[in-house]
Amino acid sequence: PSIKAFMDANGITTGVKLQQYYKDRQRSLMKPTHKAMYWVNDANFQYSETDILQYWSDKSSYGLIANYPNKVVFSNYDYFYLDLGYGNVFGDKSWAPFVTWKQIYSFNPYPAEIDRSRVLGGELPLWAEVNMDGTMDNHLWSRSSVFAERFWNPSINTAMAPANIREIAGRAY
C-alpha cells in the first residue's frame, strides 16, 4: 500500500515507470564522476549516455542495446550462466541447458550489431542457489578460463578449426 500511495502521489502509473523513477533518482544521488550500471533485457527504459548497460538476455536480442550509444558488459545467459543445466535446491529442473566450455568458446565478444568500441567486457554469472561442494572446480574454473581467453583474444574463434579446439581443451584439462 505504501508503494501504491507513493506512485499515486507522484503520478507514476506503471511498474516500468516506477523503475525509471528509481533509476533517475539513483543517478541524481551519484557523484558526477561516477557512472551507473544497469542490467538490461528490455527496451522500456531511458538511459543516460554515461550509463553502462549490462546485457543479460540472449544473442537473438542484441537489437535491445544496439540502438543505445552506451558501453556494454555482456552477461548473456545463452553463453555465460554457469548455474544452468543444474536443478535448483528444490529438485526442480533448470530453465535452460548446461553451458559448456565449447559454447563459451564460440561467443563473439564483438558482434556486428554492437560497435566494438562500446564493449567493456563480460561477466560469468554463477547464482548461489545451486552452489555446493565442488562448485569452484565444476562450475567456475574450467569454464572461466575459456571465457577469459575469448575476451582477451577475440580473433581466435574465427581462426580455429574444431580439431584445434579439442587440442586446446586437452591442454586445459
Side-chain angles (χ1 to χ4, degrees):
S2 63
I3 294 171
K4 179 66 174 137
F6 174 83
M7 290 173 68
D8 290 343
N10 290 282
I12 300 171
T13 56
T14 67
V16 169
K17 290 180 180 178
L18 179 62
Q19 289 180 54
Q20 185 68 54
Y21 171 87
Y22 179 72
K23 290 174 187 204
D24 293 342
R25 177 82 172 121
Q26 282 178 314
R27 262 190 239 97
S28 74
L29 298 172
M30 293 173 52
K31 293 179 181 179
T33 55
H34 292 184
K35 295 179 182 180
M37 185 171 185
Y38 298 104
W39 274 33
V40 175
N41 74 334
D42 61 47
N44 289 322
F45 301 105
Q46 297 173 356
Y47 298 99
S48 164
E49 286 191 20
T50 61
D51 293 342
I52 298 168
L53 306 182
Q54 184 165 1
Y55 181 75
W56 64 281
S57 194
D58 65 7
K59 70 178 180 178
S60 69
S61 301
Y62 284 153
L64 294 173
I65 56 172
N67 296 325
Y68 291 108
N70 305 69
K71 299 287 187 183
V72 176
V73 173
F74 288 109
S75 298
N76 296 48
Y77 67 74
D78 54 346
Y79 287 99
F80 302 138
Y81 275 30
L82 297 183
D83 58 318
L84 294 183
Y86 296 92
N88 65 24
V89 296
F90 305 109
D92 299 325
K93 294 171 96 177
S94 178
W95 59 274
F98 182 80
V99 177
T100 68
W101 67 265
K102 196 171 187 180
Q103 188 170 349
I104 293 170
Y105 219 98
S106 72
F107 179 74
N108 177 5
Y110 302 107
E113 298 90 341
I114 311 298
D115 181 85
R116 186 180 187 125
S117 67
R118 293 177 47 208
V119 178
L120 293 177
E123 175 197 41
L124 279 173
L126 175 61
W127 301 104
E129 70 267 16
V130 296
N131 289 343
M132 60 193 116
D133 290 341
T135 291
M136 296 305 272
D137 294 332
N138 299 328
H139 284 63
L140 186 60
W141 301 125
S142 59
R143 291 178 282 162
S144 62
S145 61
V146 172
F147 170 84
E149 185 170 18
R150 286 305 293 129
F151 276 92
W152 289 334
N153 190 1
S155 63
I156 198 167
N157 192 43
T158 58
M160 293 185 69
N164 292 355
I165 292 173
R166 285 181 182 65
E167 178 185 324
I168 288 172
R171 289 193 308 252
Y173 295 100

